[in-house]
Coordinates of all heavy atoms in Angstrom, one line a residue:
V133 N -14.9 -12.1 -5.3 CA -14.3 -11.4 -4.1 C -13.5 -10.3 -4.5 O -12.7 -10.3 -5.4 CB -13.4 -12.5 -3.4 CG1 -12.7 -12.0 -2.3 CG2 -14.2 -13.8 -3.1
E134 N -13.7 -9.3 -3.7 CA -13.0 -7.9 -3.9 C -11.6 -8.0 -3.2 O -11.6 -8.5 -2.1 CB -13.7 -6.7 -3.3 CG -13.1 -5.4 -3.8 CD -14.0 -4.3 -3.4 OE1 -15.2 -4.4 -3.5 OE2 -13.3 -3.2 -3.0
R138 N -3.3 -4.3 2.7 CA -3.1 -3.6 3.9 C -1.9 -2.8 3.9 O -0.7 -3.2 3.4 CB -3.0 -4.7 5.1 CG -4.3 -5.5 5.2 CD -4.1 -6.5 6.2 NE -3.0 -7.4 5.8 CZ -2.3 -8.1 6.7 NH1 -2.7 -8.2 8.0 NH2 -1.2 -8.8 6.4
C144 N 3.9 7.5 10.8 CA 2.9 7.7 11.9 C 2.2 6.5 12.3 O 1.4 6.6 13.3 CB 1.8 8.8 11.5 SG 0.7 8.1 10.1
L186 N -0.5 -6.6 -4.6 CA -0.5 -5.3 -5.4 C 0.2 -5.6 -6.8 O -0.2 -5.1 -7.8 CB 0.3 -4.2 -4.5 CG 0.5 -2.9 -5.3 CD1 -0.9 -2.2 -5.5 CD2 1.4 -2.1 -4.6
F189 N -1.8 -6.8 -9.7 CA -2.7 -5.9 -10.4 C -2.1 -4.8 -11.2 O -2.8 -4.0 -11.8 CB -3.8 -5.3 -9.3 CG -4.7 -6.2 -8.8 CD1 -4.5 -7.0 -7.7 CD2 -6.0 -6.3 -9.3 CE1 -5.3 -7.9 -7.2 CE2 -6.9 -7.2 -8.8 CZ -6.5 -8.0 -7.8

Side-chain angles (χ1 to χ4, degrees):
V133 176
E134 190 172 324
R138 297 173 304 158
C144 72
L186 176 67
F189 286 88

